[in-house]
Amino acid sequence: MVSTPTRTPAKPGAAPSQGKASQGKAAQGKAPNGKATAPSGSSAVPGRRVPPLRRVLGWSRGFWSALEGTGKSSNGSTYYLILGATLALTAIGILMVLSASSVEAIAAGESPYSAALKQGMFAAIGLFCMFLLSRVNVVWLKRGAWLAIIAAFILLGLVLLVGRSALGNQNWIDIGPFTFQPSEAAKLALALWMATVLDRKAKLLSQAKHALIPVVVPGAAGVIGLILMGNDLGTAMIVMMITAAALFFAGVRLYLFGIGAVLLGAATAVLAITSPNRVCRILSWTGQTCADGSDLNYQSTNGLYGLASGGWFGVGLGQSRQKYSWIPEAHNDFIFAIIGEELGLIGTLVVLALFAILGTAIYRVVVAQKDMFHRVLAGTIMVWLLGQATVNMAVVTGLAPVIGIPLPFISYGGSALLMSLCAIGVVLSLARAQMAPGLQPKRMFRFGPAGLAGSLRKRAAARNAARNARTAARKPALNNPARKRK
């Protein structure tokens, strides 16, 4: 007798069973109000409105995921964003230096292209150094950190002895027809040295004495002191920002930043009060008149006039009126005002967008680093470039008192441009290491530290292979029985 499968009789009025698929569809049927309902266990209910707070949190998570570039760094997007933004800012800088400096150059009896050609020459040297550093392993730079900081101290000391003073600051050393500003090189040297020291003391940074010595005292404090002896408070403030960034990305206790902010604020106030020039700048910024009746806010006022007259699209490239000696040294610290006047609001927004792209891409490099040395080095470079750009734009727009800080990549100045491009080269090296091996840019130079190391390794490998071949050829002769009988 063959048994037949039995089934439970359906209740009166119940629909017959239709399997799992049909049950799922039945579970997703319509609610009494006619709206579709989500299957049981699903977190998203199409028929229910998402609360605004949860929607904002979802947007913020998506924003930070896009900002950090999670999972996208291997395709090279970060590398090319940094490279593209840097090249665009450098090109804009050379163009605007030509436009802003031509009038004063002609008035001085010089060629209108002199400043732009000099800036272009430093840009070419800087781009060469940038591409060279982008192909060098950062470990090579780590080995020369102590040598770099010692050289920075020597150069800063030479500025005080044989340096040249201009506009109240003693910052430059004359080298033939060119001038060099050691404080710009000291920024990169200090960032490299602090990253090296903090990496070696990683396990001791929970103690305040190990976090501050020797990074803050005597390292950063010595650099800041030598810069202040040259009467350059603006550059000293940027070095303070670089020092704070290095400690932050190293994971130093946060209470140290509070103590440091109070001490630095008090020291900055003392330096400002004890200098009549700085007091006059602060009074002029607040709309008051100095004791001698001078107006040191003259540059900032005319810079605002330039920004206001630019409108949406500007008066046209090369058509600025404020550069006719209304803004002294217009191609230096106040070049952003000339951009706003000639290219309008659109031009200033393009510059802001390029700096935002650069900052976002460098931030992606920072958050992807697991090694403390790499993270601290990239983080300090990011704060250095973006912080300096922020301070410069704040001065030009009247949000801060006049401080002599150039706009990175754009303001006239060979030393600043060269060191900024070298710093970008270091970040590009870290971004290149994150890319998939097949997508990494090929080696452009067969010389330099990386090329030298590669040639030495190949030569050593060839020497070892030849030695092993001679040893292998000699072994059969030594083990020959006929030779032993002789």
Side-chain angles (χ1 to χ4, degrees):
M1 179 177 179
V2 180
S3 61
T4 58
T6 60
R7 59 183 179 182
T8 306
K11 294 181 180 180
S17 175
Q18 297 177 357
K20 293 183 179 180
S22 301
Q23 290 175 5
K25 293 181 181 178
Q28 298 179 9
K30 292 187 177 180
N33 58 2
K35 294 183 178 180
T37 59
S40 58
S42 174
S43 58
V45 181
R48 186 183 303 170
R49 293 185 61 184
V50 180
L53 179 60
R54 183 175 297 179
R55 189 179 304 172
V56 171
L57 291 176
W59 287 343
S60 65
R61 281 192 292 267
F63 170 76
W64 284 109
S65 177
L67 183 64
E68 295 177 0
T70 307
K72 297 180 180 179
S73 59
S74 61
N75 64 4
S77 60
T78 301
Y79 178 92
Y80 291 107
L81 282 174
I82 297 173
L83 180 61
T86 301
L87 294 177
L89 288 171
T90 304
I92 292 174
I94 297 173
L95 181 64
M96 294 312 301
V97 165
L98 172 62
S99 176
S101 65
S102 58
V103 172
E104 293 186 359
I106 293 174
E110 301 175 357
S111 170
Y113 305 102
S114 58
L117 289 176
K118 190 178 294 185
Q119 186 80 348
M121 183 191 65
F122 277 101
I125 298 173
L127 290 174
F128 174 80
C129 295
M130 181 186 74
F131 283 109
L132 183 63
L133 288 172
S134 68
R135 302 301 192 267
V136 174
N137 194 327
V138 180
V139 176
W140 284 89
L141 302 178
K142 187 176 181 180
R143 296 171 182 173
W146 282 93
L147 182 61
I149 195 65
I150 292 173
F153 272 100
I154 293 174
L155 290 174
L156 290 174
L158 287 175
V159 170
L160 302 177
L161 297 177
V162 298
R164 181 173 60 86
S165 179
L167 301 177
N169 295 343
Q170 189 167 346
N171 286 349
W172 294 270
I173 295 178
D174 292 327
I175 304 175
F178 304 102
T179 57
F180 180 69
Q181 192 172 359
S183 57
E184 294 294 334
K187 296 176 185 177
L188 182 57
L190 183 64
L192 177 62
W193 176 76
M194 287 191 299
T196 303
V197 174
L198 290 171
D199 179 55
R200 292 182 180 178
K201 302 181 71 173
K203 297 181 180 180
L204 303 173
L205 295 180
S206 58
Q207 305 176 34
K209 61 179 182 180
H210 288 289
L212 300 178
I213 300 174
V215 171
V216 178
V217 181
V223 173
I224 294 171
L226 290 173
I227 293 174
L228 288 176
M229 291 175 68
N231 202 30
D232 189 357
L233 180 59
T235 303
M237 292 175 59
I238 300 301
V239 175
M240 294 176 192
M241 294 171 58
I242 293 173
T243 305
L247 296 175
F248 176 80
F249 288 107
V252 173
R253 298 287 181 87
L254 292 180
Y255 75 90
L256 294 176
F257 293 95
I259 298 174
V262 172
L263 295 177
L264 290 177
T268 304
V270 170
L271 291 172
I273 294 173
T274 55
S275 172
N277 181 274
R278 296 184 186 123
V279 172
C280 188
R281 288 187 181 188
I282 295 174
L283 291 176
S284 299
W285 175 61
T286 57
Q288 304 179 38
T289 305
C290 299
D292 57 357
S294 60
D295 182 14
L296 294 183
N297 210 41
Y298 180 79
Q299 274 184 310
S300 181
T301 302
N302 284 280
L304 290 176
Y305 290 159
L307 291 172
S309 61
W312 284 94
F313 302 101
V315 297
L317 186 62
Q319 303 301 316
S320 169
R321 293 181 289 272
Q322 297 298 320
K323 67 184 179 182
Y324 284 83
S325 298
W326 290 103
I327 301 179
E329 301 288 331
H331 56 291
N332 285 336
D333 302 338
F334 274 78
I335 197 170
F336 189 69
I338 305 301
I339 294 175
E341 184 182 7
E342 295 189 349
L343 304 180
L345 179 64
I346 303 300
T348 58
L349 291 179
V350 168
V351 173
L352 287 172
L354 289 174
F355 274 111
I357 292 171
L358 182 65
T360 301
I362 298 179
Y363 177 77
R364 287 184 177 184
V365 176
V366 174
V367 297
Q369 302 303 320
K370 298 181 180 179
D371 183 76
M372 179 179 290
F373 171 74
H374 297 163
R375 183 173 65 251
V376 172
L377 183 57
T380 51
I381 291 173
M382 178 183 69
V383 172
W384 162 20
L385 297 176
L386 296 184
Q388 187 167 318
T390 303
V391 173
N392 177 274
M393 295 178 187
V395 169
V396 174
T397 54
L399 298 177
V402 177
I403 303 173
I405 295 179
L407 184 61
F409 307 107
I410 296 180
S411 291
Y412 176 75
S415 302
L417 179 60
L418 177 61
M419 290 300 109
S420 298
L421 291 174
C422 288
I424 291 296
V426 174
V427 179
L428 285 176
S429 176
L430 297 174
R432 181 172 173 268
Q434 298 175 11
M435 298 170 62
L439 297 177
Q440 291 183 0
K442 301 302 180 182
R443 195 177 289 176
M444 295 181 62
F445 307 104
R446 295 185 179 275
F447 49 90
L452 177 61
S455 62
L456 291 177
R457 284 194 296 267
K458 290 181 180 179
R459 191 175 301 174
R463 192 182 300 114
N464 292 333
R467 186 183 301 111
N468 294 336
R470 288 195 300 268
T471 304
R474 194 179 300 130
K475 281 183 178 180
L478 295 176
N479 296 332
N480 190 355
R483 182 172 180 177
K484 290 182 179 180
R485 283 196 297 268
K486 291 181 181 179

